[in-house]
Amino acid sequence: MPRLCDGHQMNASGSDSGPNFGPNNNSNPPVIAAHDLSIRLGGQTVLRGVNVKIARGEIVTIVGPNGSGKSSFLRALIGALPLASGHIEKAPDLRIGYVPQKLAINAALPMTVRRFLGLPRRISARRATEALDRAGAPGLPNRQMADLSGGQFQRVLLARALLDQPQLLLLDEATQGLDQPGSASFYRQIEEVRQDIGCAVVMVSHDLHVVMAASDRVLCLNGHICCEGSPEIVAGAPEYRALFGSGTKGALALYRHEHSHSHDHSHDHGHDHDHDHDQKERP
């Protein structure tokens, strides 16, 4: 049985009854909620029995090993993946901004940042400038997309996601390929965006040493929710330490993953792991 950290309660049957945000729950209703969500890909269950509510203005980070269902969960939230069971409840007229894990653009194709932001529909110069400023990428409208650095490219993707003033911002490993200072700078920008427009933020990330400290709440996935709560509580949970070691507790700094865990309940896919690898800083 997975440990249920802050924000969860058990029902009479001993199963997870979903997130519980306490007495203020009604005053800050969720912008989106997953109810008993399960996802199957290629005939295998990649995510099972997920109950999550995302409140307005909170930053939630999803962590877990490769293949744990993190990206699939985000894609399900935006409707890009069908659900095997359960359902997703959204606030009326919810505006969602999405920053993908990667986006390939033909380097031989001439395209300025301004033109990219205006696809598939044109936007005003003012809207483009405001979005770039909010994403921490001023002065880029006339630059060629192919000439941008990795960090600039990700901030342009962020600017695109912010064009419609989203109430929910989803980021799928948006700092992939950035070095540690670049990742830290990007996450600081996300915090500024949250403060500026009051949106909820859900991030998938492997940059545990940075992103844990930037979060209000952390979900640890491995085919299901292993544990959930504040960064400090999750970092101390046995399920989290079984996945990632104990280095994140206290300083929340992690460069070594140690993943060896199993669960009492059955799954449609194998769940026992025993591997040890070093997480190296990207150049």
Side-chain angles (χ1 to χ4, degrees):
M1 179 69 64
R3 171 175 173 166
L4 301 174
C5 304
D6 268 4
H8 273 252
Q9 57 186 1
M10 303 296 287
N11 61 26
S13 66
S15 62
D16 181 10
S17 62
N20 173 29
F21 294 109
N24 294 323
N25 202 20
N26 292 332
S27 64
N28 189 17
V31 295
I32 196 167
H35 301 281
D36 201 26
L37 181 150
S38 295
I39 300 171
R40 290 179 64 85
L41 293 175
Q44 291 205 348
T45 298
V46 296
L47 210 54
R48 169 182 246 167
V50 172
N51 289 283
V52 174
K53 294 180 181 179
I54 308 297
R56 181 181 183 274
E58 72 169 334
I59 295 180
V60 177
T61 295
I62 301 173
V63 300
N66 291 334
S68 61
K70 304 184 300 296
S71 295
S72 295
F73 178 62
L74 253 62
R75 293 176 64 197
L77 290 183
I78 63 173
L81 279 182
L83 304 183
S85 63
H87 69 281
I88 294 171
E89 183 179 5
K90 299 178 183 178
D93 302 317
L94 179 65
R95 299 187 305 274
I96 299 177
Y98 177 69
V99 180
Q101 189 174 113
K102 59 181 68 174
L103 181 66
I105 293 182
N106 190 333
L109 179 66
M111 182 182 296
T112 65
V113 169
R114 166 73 187 283
R115 184 182 176 195
F116 173 75
L117 293 178
L119 297 175
R121 62 187 187 277
R122 289 187 177 183
I123 61 172
S124 67
R126 179 183 59 81
R127 283 188 66 198
T129 298
E130 288 177 353
L132 288 169
D133 287 347
R134 184 165 283 149
L140 294 181
N142 297 320
R143 291 280 300 276
Q144 291 291 322
M145 291 293 294
D147 295 336
L148 299 179
S149 68
Q152 289 172 332
F153 191 92
Q154 291 306 111
R155 287 176 185 267
V156 169
L157 293 184
L158 175 60
R160 182 181 173 88
L162 296 175
L163 283 171
D164 292 326
Q165 297 276 316
Q167 298 156 307
L168 173 63
L169 179 61
L170 305 176
L171 302 103
D172 189 0
E173 298 195 43
T175 60
Q176 190 177 59
L178 303 185
D179 59 15
Q180 185 179 347
S183 296
S185 176
F186 187 87
Y187 289 128
R188 284 194 297 269
Q189 194 67 40
I190 296 301
E191 168 62 23
E192 291 184 16
V193 167
R194 187 262 296 263
Q195 292 179 354
D196 188 19
I197 65 177
C199 64
V201 179
V202 179
M203 304 187 291
V204 169
S205 181
H206 281 297
D207 300 319
L208 302 181
H209 52 288
V210 175
V211 80
M212 286 284 283
S215 306
D216 299 316
R217 186 157 56 105
V218 176
L219 301 179
C220 185
L221 290 186
N222 198 6
H224 62 285
I225 297 179
C226 294
C227 59
E228 174 186 3
S230 68
E232 293 77 12
I233 289 178
V234 169
E239 289 74 20
Y240 180 87
R241 293 200 304 269
L243 286 168
F244 300 115
S246 58
T248 54
K249 190 172 183 180
L252 297 177
L254 174 66
Y255 289 90
R256 187 173 185 80
H257 292 185
E258 295 175 353
H259 179 194
S260 176
H261 91 299
S262 61
H263 294 288
D264 297 333
H265 44 74
S266 62
H267 289 271
D268 292 350
H269 61 290
H271 222 63
D272 293 336
H273 306 268
D274 188 5
H275 67 262
D276 185 3
H277 63 276
D278 291 327
Q279 176 178 319
K280 298 179 181 178
E281 283 191 55
R282 300 181 180 96

